[in-house]
Amino acid sequence: MSRRRPVGVMSTRKRFREESLRWSFAFLSFVVPLVVVSYLLVQGSAAVPEVRIDALERGMVREVIRGGGAEQVGIRVGDVIRAVDGIPFESYDVARREERIEVGESATLRVERDGWLLTLDVPFVSVARVALPDMIGAAGVALAFWGASTILLWRRIYRSEVRLLFCLAQAVAVGILLPPLDFLNWYHRSNLLCTLSIVGIGLSAPLLFHYHITFPVILGTRRQRRWVLATFYGAAVVAAATYVAIVSEWLFEAVVVMRLAVACFGLELLAAIAVAIYIYFHR
């Protein structure tokens, strides 16, 4: 005859498991607020010119902030920045190559306009001054993802799909905090925030796929899920490592490699959407 465990023992073990899970996820619960605070602080001190740049056109000015210092010194829409303090404007890390420019200081920009090269001293201001609405919007959305998922986690932490959904929400929240692409060229000294956001974006696709193949219907066998998830998460890790290698200048042909990483993310995201549609209509 089988012996049934006393109800008190089972409830005690369940409470112990829940408390252990809560403590193990406690650290993760503070990641997004810390990243949000860092996001606001960095953008409050990062110095940029008062122009928005088309990242795909290698320094082409697509907007000049009205009433700003760049407009006053003669920067116009359509100008192409060729050099900053004598350093060719050819990559996203131009700011890391030059000396530190503080908020309130100026940099010498070599600008091409209608075949002519102009030299202009352009004052730099904080990102917060020119992109405050974008910053507030991104921080608000990130905190909304974080808050909702944290409340759900604390109420249903013993459910695996809730824990997975929490991790997905954290990855999305961090990814939302990618600095405004218009000013990405001007971030100085550290690419940490950009790297965290890129990693968050990259991990969101396999996490979403993982969620849909396990809830509300579990697809495939345990072995099949293990291999598929290992492939998806492995691809995301490789893509994140590729990004780090590119910004650290360890890889050449950066554009080609980045396109492959973006394609990997896109394929994983499409796979997650396809699984969700399949389950909704057929399972």
Side-chain angles (χ1 to χ4, degrees):
M1 296 179 62
S2 60
R3 295 182 180 180
R4 293 185 177 181
R5 294 176 181 174
V7 176
V9 173
M10 294 180 64
S11 60
T12 301
R13 289 189 175 183
K14 181 178 179 181
R15 286 197 299 270
F16 177 76
R17 181 169 177 268
E18 289 184 18
E19 289 302 319
S20 299
L21 285 172
R22 284 193 172 91
W23 280 108
S24 62
F25 276 84
F27 173 76
L28 288 177
S29 300
F30 289 100
V31 170
V32 170
L34 289 174
V35 174
V36 169
V37 172
S38 301
Y39 170 80
L40 297 175
L41 290 176
V42 169
Q43 297 201 79
S45 60
V48 299
E50 293 174 275
V51 298
R52 295 182 182 271
I53 298 174
D54 191 332
L56 299 179
E57 293 294 337
R58 288 188 176 275
M60 178 175 288
V61 177
R62 67 177 180 85
E63 181 184 351
V64 180
I65 307 300
R66 290 187 177 182
E71 183 183 55
Q72 294 176 10
V73 301
I75 297 288
R76 299 178 185 174
V77 174
D79 289 351
V80 180
I81 300 174
R82 294 302 184 189
V84 181
D85 286 339
I87 300 172
F89 194 88
E90 296 176 348
S91 63
Y92 291 118
D93 62 347
V94 62
R96 187 160 57 90
R97 292 170 175 267
E98 65 185 0
E99 293 183 1
R100 171 70 171 170
I101 302 176
E102 301 290 346
V103 173
E105 296 180 349
S106 298
T108 301
L109 270 59
R110 191 74 167 163
V111 176
E112 182 179 348
R113 180 188 302 162
D114 299 328
W116 294 85
L117 289 175
L118 308 175
T119 302
L120 303 171
D121 289 329
V122 180
F124 276 47
V125 300
S126 68
V127 180
R129 178 171 173 177
V130 291
L132 188 59
D134 296 336
M135 291 171 53
I136 294 176
V141 173
L143 289 175
F145 270 93
W146 167 76
S149 62
T150 300
I151 292 173
L152 180 61
L153 177 74
W154 247 239
R155 291 176 62 87
R156 296 289 187 272
I157 196 169
Y158 54 88
R159 301 186 61 168
S160 59
E161 67 271 13
V162 171
R163 298 194 297 273
L164 186 57
L165 187 62
F166 170 80
C167 292
L168 172 61
Q170 307 313 291
V172 172
V174 172
I176 289 170
L177 296 173
L178 184 70
L181 296 179
D182 321 78
F183 307 103
L184 196 59
N185 305 70
W186 307 102
Y187 278 81
H188 296 268
R189 291 194 292 211
S190 174
N191 289 301
L192 180 59
L193 274 181
C194 298
T195 301
L196 287 176
S197 294
I198 293 296
V199 171
I201 293 171
L203 284 177
S204 63
L207 282 168
L208 183 64
F209 179 82
H210 189 172
Y211 179 78
H212 283 311
I213 67 171
T214 54
F215 182 83
V217 177
I218 298 178
L219 299 181
T221 64
R222 184 186 295 255
R223 180 183 177 86
Q224 290 172 336
R225 290 195 302 275
R226 185 184 300 119
W227 279 104
V228 172
L229 290 175
T231 301
F232 273 54
Y233 282 114
V237 171
V238 170
T242 300
Y243 173 80
V244 174
I246 289 173
V247 298
S248 302
E249 298 184 337
W250 299 336
L251 285 179
F252 298 99
E253 298 296 337
V255 175
V256 175
V257 177
M258 283 299 290
R259 285 177 177 172
L260 290 175
V262 172
C264 173
F265 168 78
L267 290 174
E268 291 191 0
L269 187 61
L270 287 175
I273 295 173
V275 168
I277 293 174
Y278 169 75
I279 290 176
Y280 180 79
F281 284 104
H282 298 285
R283 300 296 295 271

